[in-house]
Amino acid sequence: MHAGITVAVPAHPARLTNGLLARALTSVWTQTYPPAAVSGAVDVHREGAAVTRQRALDQVGTDWVAFLDSDDELLPQHLDRLSICAEQTGADFVYSWFEPVGMADPLGHFGIPFDVAHPHHTTMTVLVRTDLARRVGFVAAEAGASCGNEDWRFICGLAAGGARMVHLAERTWRYHAHGGNTSGIPGRGDA
């Protein structure tokens, strides 16, 4: 299964020069079980996170895709632990928790099993079957919609489609909080 993972990294242009993307990619290539490929997409036209994530997903040619925002980083065992969890549980979607950097520790849903009937946000540093991810896709919110950002719509779409979603109660990545955390906003200006 490990050989069938692509890491999809959507990025904002500012992250190409401020070192964040380099840090994220270094964390991908230092995995204890390296991915088969990396699929990147840069939001050069300020179309927003949904379009950028979808472009990165469209390039994936493996059975599994792991998403990583370009300002975060994977701990060395991230892909190994999530793929083993998927294999052992039969999951279609596996999410873990994170080490917070630059913020208080929001325990949130850590350790709480995913309830498809009452979904909660999982973040987007996840491992998911590529065919399911493509079926749901990432779509921008329609004008006046109150259904949240692109990652929340993606999670709800997977849950509604019957995906088996499993929480691995381990911290396998780092979430970096900073003034540029503006996912989902088309005109965002990362610092």
Side-chain angles (χ1 to χ4, degrees):
M1 175 189 205
H2 294 301
I5 300 172
T6 296
V7 178
V9 185
H12 184 278
R15 294 186 181 149
L16 302 177
T17 58
N18 65 9
L20 297 178
L21 179 60
R23 180 185 65 204
L25 291 175
T26 297
S27 78
V28 170
W29 293 119
T30 58
Q31 289 295 292
T32 56
Y33 232 108
V38 173
S39 170
V42 179
D43 188 4
V44 293
H45 301 294
R46 293 185 175 267
E47 298 168 294
V51 171
T52 308
R53 281 192 208 285
Q54 187 62 47
R55 283 198 350 251
L57 175 59
D58 289 345
Q59 299 173 53
V60 173
T62 54
D63 291 339
W64 291 86
V65 58
F67 290 95
L68 173 64
D69 286 349
S70 61
D71 58 343
D72 295 324
E73 65 184 303
L74 304 178
L75 295 174
Q77 76 285 4
H78 178 79
L79 294 179
D80 191 35
R81 298 299 301 138
L82 268 63
S83 63
I84 289 170
C85 179
E87 187 175 343
Q88 291 177 343
T89 64
D92 301 307
F93 176 100
V94 179
Y95 66 101
S96 59
W97 207 241
F98 55 86
E99 291 180 2
V101 178
M103 64 187 279
D105 190 353
L107 290 178
H109 303 291
F110 180 74
I112 300 171
F114 193 85
D115 180 357
V116 175
H118 305 318
H120 62 264
H121 205 294
T122 66
T123 77
M124 272 309 300
T125 305
V126 300
L127 178 70
V128 61
R129 290 185 192 276
T130 303
D131 62 336
L132 292 175
R134 284 200 176 111
R135 210 169 332 175
V136 172
F138 294 97
V139 295
E142 296 178 16
S146 61
C147 58
N149 56 19
E150 88 288 345
D151 46 355
W152 177 240
R153 288 188 299 277
F154 179 72
I155 292 160
C156 289
L158 288 171
R164 178 160 166 70
M165 303 170 83
V166 174
H167 173 49
L168 174 64
E170 296 179 18
R171 294 175 191 262
T172 65
W173 60 286
R174 286 191 184 106
Y175 177 88
H176 290 269
H178 54 84
N181 291 101
T182 54
S183 177
I185 302 170
R188 67 188 187 258
D190 291 355

